[in-house]
Amino acid sequence: MGNNKVYIQLTGDRRNEDFARLLSGIAKKRGTHKTKQVYVRTLADAWHVNVESNHILMLQISELSGGIKLLSKILKLMMIFTKG
């Protein structure tokens, strides 16, 4: 798990030998470019978000860069603010 910028920094130029032990743990580089709706629905179910308009908003947030991480933070803050 990580982001493309860090991967490029690790594998670029002469740094490859410095990070050989770390890079040996990477079996296959695979990027996810679009969040699947099922992930958002699963997250909504886990947080007991049952209103359809909230699901639509959650889908919109999830499509941003780092959307699932952002969505998780928003849900945690929501629970803090609502004391739920």
Side-chain angles (χ1 to χ4, degrees), residues 24-61:
S24 69
I26 299 174
K28 181 179 181 183
K29 181 184 174 206
R30 182 171 181 197
T32 54
H33 302 288
K34 184 168 168 92
T35 304
K36 294 183 179 179
Q37 289 187 10
V38 68
Y39 296 157
V40 178
R41 296 287 180 180
T42 302
L43 194 57
D45 291 342
W47 284 91
H48 306 292
V49 177
N50 301 318
V51 180
E52 186 61 31
S53 61
N54 290 344
H55 288 183
I56 294 168
L57 180 59
M58 289 174 71
L59 285 168
Q60 291 172 344
I61 292 170

Side-chain angles (χ1 to χ4, degrees), residues 18 22 40 76 80:
D18 295 334
L22 178 64
V40 178
K76 288 176 189 175
I80 291 169

Side-chain angles (χ1 to χ4, degrees), residues 2 6-7 10 12 20 69 71 84:
V6 172
Y7 181 79
L10 290 175
K69 184 176 183 178
L71 189 55

Side-chain angles (χ1 to χ4, degrees), residues 9-23:
Q9 288 176 343
L10 290 175
T11 58
D13 294 335
R14 291 172 276 135
R15 292 182 162 211
N16 203 2
E17 62 190 36
D18 295 334
F19 296 102
R21 183 180 267 169
L22 178 64
L23 292 172

